[in-house]
């Protein structure tokens, strides 16, 4: 991993009816609502949350 690599994460599927831990991962990334994008650093902690809920997210490198 590069030192200051950034990822833009966007919620593309609804949180309705999801497992509580998956909702917690999305809020832990700082995402508040559908189609909301945040830029997070590429750390193992953030990667773990992204991988857990990858079916709801769109991820791109910045």
């Amino acid at each position: 991993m590069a030192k200051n690599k950034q990822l833009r994460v966007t919620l593309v599927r609804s949180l309705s009816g999801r497992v509580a831990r998956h909702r917690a991962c999305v809020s832990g990334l700082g995402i508040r609502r559908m189609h909301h994008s945040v830029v997070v650093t590429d750390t193992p902690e953030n990667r773990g949350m992204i991988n857990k809920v990858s079916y709801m997210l769109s991820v791109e490198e910045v």
Side-chain angles (χ1 to χ4, degrees):
M1 277 185 279
K3 186 169 184 167
N4 290 325
K5 201 166 164 187
Q6 301 282 312
L7 300 170
R8 181 183 313 277
V9 184
T10 307
L11 186 65
V12 294
R13 296 190 66 180
S14 175
L15 289 173
S16 297
R18 304 295 178 196
V19 181
R21 285 186 176 209
H22 291 196
R23 286 191 306 248
C25 285
V26 171
S27 66
L29 289 167
I31 300 171
R32 297 176 182 269
R33 62 190 171 274
M34 285 283 296
H35 307 294
H36 183 224
S37 295
V38 293
V39 176
V40 296
T41 55
D42 189 7
T43 62
E45 296 83 5
N46 286 338
R47 277 287 180 175
M49 289 190 282
I50 289 169
N51 288 338
K52 184 170 282 271
V53 294
S54 61
Y55 66 96
M56 290 192 287
L57 302 176
S58 169
V59 182
E60 58 190 46
E61 292 185 18
V62 178

